[in-house]
Amino acid sequence: MKDRQTKAHDSGYLGTDAPWRAVLRLAIPSMLAQFVNVLYSIVDRIYIGHMEGVGKEALAGVGICGPLVTLLSSFGTWVGLGGSPAMSIKMGEKDTDGAQKILSNGALLLAVMSVLLTGAAFAFRTPLLRLFGAGGNSAQYTYEYFSWYAAGTVFAVMTTGLNAYIVGQGHGKAGMATVCIGAVANIALDPLFIYAFDMGVAGAAIATVISQALSAAFTVLFLVGKRAEVKLRIGGYNRKTMGKILALGLSPFLIIATDSVMILALNAVLRAYGGERADELISAATIMLSFMQIITLPMGGISGGTQPALSYNYGANNPARVKKCEWWILGLCVLFAAAMFLVARFGAGGIVSLFTSDAALKEESMRFIRIYTLMIIPLAFQYALVDGLTALGIAPVAITLSLFRKIALMLTLTLLLPRFFGAEAALWAEPIADLVGGALSTIVFFSLIGKILKKRDREVRSHLSSQPLTEQTRQNIE
């Protein structure tokens, strides 16, 4: 009985706590987890940037690998954020069997994707790395790092995907623990493999793979354990369910995947138009993009980690709570972006110093950061509102908004601006796209949200005579 009460409390607060409290219970651990995840993502670069004699070239090489590594992990996001909101909606409807079916199908998709991606990474690594900027003195480090990292693709994909199902059940602290386990292990193992074992760039990749394996093991053990309200089970596979997961997760996948494509395109442009300074420009961009991760990963933690608050109450047909939760999510994203805007203006120097002691590279990196972060406050609106639409199952609109900002605006400008104004002009694509994309997302979201919630209410009312509803849902309707 005690276990049942604990489980009910774990997810029940999504529908009973004050909206601000429910949002904060998800947002704080998710945001902190992503802060730790930033360390996970950039600690390799910090150690590598200070490698004696070759730090700048090695940093450029790993910088080229970075977006490809993120692209591989984004497939885990596709399945994780595709299935977890649907699972949360089922939990709001008190349909535990339906929620478990979604989790089981999501886990199978993750396993299949992991195998396919590992094979593809090894089969196409050489042409891909060449296409997106591998060359010059940094080329050997690019191939070395990526070859070792690709071997652990299964752990990266499974960790990212399954952790979304942990957070989707309301276990924000456990979701944070998943990230912390890997991050702490990576921080501890990096100097051991890079310096003590004298493995350099290869050692950094091996340390990352081991750390991801530990995180993956934790997610599996949690989802089959007592604390999970919706447990991971074998069986119940269904093509239709898998299709729904992939359709709903396409928007967050495209956001992250196109982020990776944008970085790859930026590196390629800097290589093509940078001339003799190409390696230096890519090194500065690598540091700048690492700083951007300090902004985008925690902000994504807020907007993505709080989706269960929206999905659960949408499933329970409580439109008032959906609106209140979304306002709190948007406010947190904007507040965080405003704080990081000030850090970018006045505190970037200390962060840049973690990556390099080269004075010229530090100055260039800080200039890149100031340009790239000009419009991160409008970007906060895009994160909060597009993820809000995804949480409500409105995938087509979310996908369209994401693609417009990244492909129609950012990718186009990244490729065109350097043709007329030189390599560094590509940096201006980000703030332009952030401003326009944020404004458009705001207009679309507030034009649709009332219609979406009214449609849900009509759907629930139409089933009153044909199937019983929970007492909580009846109260919401009345």
Side-chain angles (χ1 to χ4, degrees), residues 72-306:
L72 291 174
S73 297
S74 67
F75 284 86
T77 302
W78 186 356
V79 178
L81 294 187
S84 60
M87 180 188 69
S88 297
I89 290 173
K90 290 294 184 183
M91 292 173 68
E93 296 171 345
K94 308 303 179 186
D95 182 2
T96 303
D97 290 338
Q100 187 170 303
K101 182 179 179 181
I102 292 170
L103 173 56
S104 297
N105 281 269
L108 180 60
L109 279 173
L110 289 168
V112 173
M113 277 186 175
S114 298
V115 174
L116 295 177
L117 287 169
T118 301
F122 279 102
F124 301 107
R125 58 183 168 175
T126 299
L128 279 175
L129 293 173
R130 285 178 180 172
L131 177 63
F132 293 112
N137 297 327
S138 63
Q140 60 175 322
Y141 304 107
T142 302
Y143 289 102
E144 188 176 7
Y145 185 89
F146 187 74
S147 296
W148 282 102
Y149 182 91
T153 299
V154 60
F155 303 125
V157 173
M158 295 299 291
T159 296
T160 304
L162 292 179
N163 199 44
Y165 290 95
I166 293 175
V167 176
Q169 296 182 39
H171 298 285
K173 292 180 180 178
M176 180 174 67
T178 300
V179 179
C180 289
I181 288 169
V184 171
N186 197 35
I187 293 170
L189 292 175
D190 258 341
L192 183 65
F193 280 87
I194 294 173
Y195 300 116
F197 296 161
D198 195 25
M199 297 181 72
V201 168
I206 293 170
T208 300
V209 170
I210 295 173
S211 303
Q212 289 172 338
L214 294 174
S215 291
F218 176 82
T219 60
V220 173
L221 291 174
F222 184 92
L223 288 171
V224 300
K226 293 181 179 180
R227 289 189 60 194
E229 183 174 346
V230 180
K231 296 185 183 298
L232 179 60
R233 293 286 186 265
I234 296 174
Y237 305 125
N238 180 275
R239 289 183 181 180
K240 187 176 180 180
T241 301
M242 293 182 191
K244 288 182 178 179
I245 290 172
L246 293 175
L248 186 57
L250 189 57
S251 174
F253 166 72
L254 288 174
I255 292 173
I256 298 174
T258 50
D259 273 341
S260 299
V261 171
M262 290 308 311
I263 297 171
L264 291 167
L266 176 61
N267 287 335
V269 164
L270 294 177
R271 174 68 62 193
Y273 294 94
E276 295 180 356
R277 297 182 61 231
D279 276 344
E280 181 179 345
L281 292 176
I282 292 174
S283 295
T286 299
I287 295 172
M288 175 269 291
L289 292 167
S290 298
F291 183 89
M292 280 296 293
Q293 286 186 313
I294 300 175
I295 299 171
T296 57
L297 286 179
M299 191 155 65
I302 296 172
S303 63
T306 53

Side-chain angles (χ1 to χ4, degrees), residues 270-472:
L270 294 177
R271 174 68 62 193
Y273 294 94
E276 295 180 356
R277 297 182 61 231
D279 276 344
E280 181 179 345
L281 292 176
I282 292 174
S283 295
T286 299
I287 295 172
M288 175 269 291
L289 292 167
S290 298
F291 183 89
M292 280 296 293
Q293 286 186 313
I294 300 175
I295 299 171
T296 57
L297 286 179
M299 191 155 65
I302 296 172
S303 63
T306 53
Q307 284 183 334
L310 300 175
S311 300
Y312 185 98
N313 287 292
Y314 180 74
N317 192 36
N318 195 331
R321 283 184 65 85
V322 171
K323 290 180 179 179
K324 290 177 182 178
C325 287
E326 182 57 55
W327 274 112
W328 276 98
I329 294 167
L330 178 60
L332 288 174
C333 285
V334 171
L335 182 63
F336 175 76
M340 293 309 299
F341 179 84
L342 295 176
V343 172
R345 306 266 93 57
F346 305 109
I351 296 174
V352 170
S353 296
L354 296 174
F355 295 88
T356 182
S357 55
D358 186 298
L361 182 57
K362 285 174 64 176
E363 186 64 31
E364 189 117 63
S365 301
M366 290 170 63
R367 185 164 57 85
F368 281 20
I369 287 170
R370 293 188 184 105
I371 294 172
Y372 227 67
T373 59
L374 274 173
M375 292 295 166
I376 57 172
I377 294 177
L379 179 63
F381 282 78
Q382 169 118 17
Y383 267 68
L385 301 179
V386 169
D387 279 354
L389 290 172
T390 302
L392 302 179
I394 315 301
V397 177
I399 292 168
T400 302
L401 290 170
S402 300
L403 287 179
F404 175 77
R405 173 177 169 266
K406 289 300 179 67
I407 304 299
L409 290 175
M410 197 168 170
L411 181 59
T412 302
L413 291 172
T414 298
L415 298 175
L416 286 181
L417 290 176
R419 290 178 177 270
F420 302 101
F421 305 105
E424 296 180 30
L427 300 173
W428 288 94
E430 174 78 25
I432 294 172
D434 291 347
L435 176 60
V436 177
L440 182 62
S441 297
T442 302
I443 294 169
V444 171
F445 181 89
F446 287 106
S447 298
L448 292 180
I449 184 63
K451 298 176 183 178
I452 293 168
L453 295 177
K454 287 180 181 178
K455 180 181 177 182
R456 174 62 179 171
D457 185 61
R458 289 195 301 269
E459 290 173 349
V460 171
R461 289 177 182 276
S462 69
H463 286 82
L464 274 172
S465 59
S466 59
Q467 66 182 66
L469 297 175
T470 65
E471 183 61 27
Q472 180 181 344

Side-chain angles (χ1 to χ4, degrees), residues 14-31:
L14 296 173
T16 56
D17 276 7
W20 66 267
R21 183 178 288 115
V23 168
L24 288 179
R25 286 183 66 172
L26 290 167
I28 291 176
S30 185
M31 183 178 67

